[in-house]
Amino acid sequence: MESHVIPFENRWTNGKHAWEWHCELERLGVPTVRTMYCEHETHHRNKSAVVFDIPAGFVHDWLAFHDRRAARQQFLWRASVITLGIIAASGVLLGALR
């Protein structure tokens, strides 16, 4: 049997259970899970589970992982656009000097 490792720190359960929770959250998607988490934190904070039997802490860590990944992708996108802009501006300036 293949062992799965979730891509973020897990303090909530063992590997197999964590992988099942991770897959369930991935299936639901970030926007849906974020909405469910906000609903939980606003109205049901005293309950331990957010989505089915998944603890609020695990859901929070999962959302934080996706937020970090989205921020990293946005940073790389911006860096590549700035780099290409500098290259294009250099090409224009070098072409004008000839």
Side-chain angles (χ1 to χ4, degrees):
M1 185 169 134
E2 185 178 333
S3 175
H4 299 286
V5 177
I6 58 173
F8 59 92
E9 182 182 354
N10 171 32
R11 303 169 280 155
W12 305 100
T13 188
N14 65 20
K16 182 175 185 256
H17 215 121
W19 183 253
E20 291 170 359
W21 289 351
H22 172 71
C23 289
E24 182 62 29
L25 295 175
E26 289 290 332
R27 186 185 66 76
L28 291 171
V30 173
T32 303
V33 173
R34 190 176 308 280
T35 302
M36 294 171 87
Y37 182 74
C38 289
E39 170 71 17
H40 173 268
E41 292 296 301
T42 304
H43 300 292
H44 309 287
R45 192 172 199 134
N46 57 344
K47 294 182 181 177
S48 62
V50 175
V51 180
F52 308 118
D53 66 338
I54 304 174
F58 187 89
V59 174
H60 179 267
D61 291 349
W62 183 84
L63 287 169
F65 161 73
H66 279 283
D67 290 345
R68 285 189 305 273
R69 189 167 72 176
R72 185 172 48 249
Q73 288 173 341
Q74 186 176 39
F75 172 77
L76 291 174
W77 172 253
R78 287 182 179 178
S80 63
V81 167
I82 289 169
T83 301
L84 291 173
I86 290 171
I87 291 171
S90 299
V92 168
L93 288 174
L94 289 175
L97 294 175
R98 287 184 178 193

